[in-house]
């Protein structure tokens, strides 16, 4: 519970930055499949990178909260 409260105390800008950080982790989690390494290593890399992507995604959404999410959505609607 303390982690959630701490995340919610962070700024809107920090939430957006953390949320955007999930994009490269998603890309890397699937792009690493093209590397000439063992299947086991690919599985481990995928789990780690995909886990980081999900952590950034949910962390960013927690920081933004409902009001921040609405604010971000409205920003994209105007563009």
């Amino acid at each position: 519970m303390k982690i959630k409260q701490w995340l919610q105390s962070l700024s809107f800008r920090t939430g957006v930055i953390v949320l955007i950080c999930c994009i490269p982790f998603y890309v890397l989690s699937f792009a690493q499949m093209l590397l000439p390494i063992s299947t086991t290593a690919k599985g481990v890399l995928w789990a780690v990178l995909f886990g980081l992507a999900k952590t950034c995604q949910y962390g960013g959404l927690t920081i933004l909260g409902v009001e921040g999410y609405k604010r971000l959505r409205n920003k994209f609607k105007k563009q």
Side-chain angles (χ1 to χ4, degrees):
M1 196 62 161
K2 286 184 180 184
I3 294 173
K4 183 178 177 183
Q5 291 171 345
W6 174 72
L7 285 172
Q8 289 174 337
S9 72
L10 297 174
S11 71
F12 177 80
R13 181 179 177 188
T14 303
V16 172
I17 291 169
V18 171
L19 200 54
I20 289 172
C21 285
C22 75
I23 296 169
F25 286 125
Y26 277 125
V27 171
L28 288 172
S29 70
F30 290 102
Q32 60 82 26
M33 294 294 179
L34 301 173
L35 295 174
I37 55 178
S38 72
T39 306
T40 304
K42 287 180 183 182
V44 170
L45 275 174
W46 183 84
V48 169
L49 292 169
F50 196 78
L52 286 170
K54 284 297 186 185
T55 302
C56 287
Q57 180 183 357
Y58 294 132
L61 290 173
T62 302
I63 294 168
L64 290 176
V66 174
E67 293 304 315
Y69 174 74
K70 288 179 184 176
R71 182 175 162 189
L72 192 61
R73 188 179 65 197
N74 288 336
K75 178 89 170 163
F76 282 112
K77 279 186 180 179
K78 291 178 183 176
Q79 294 177 356

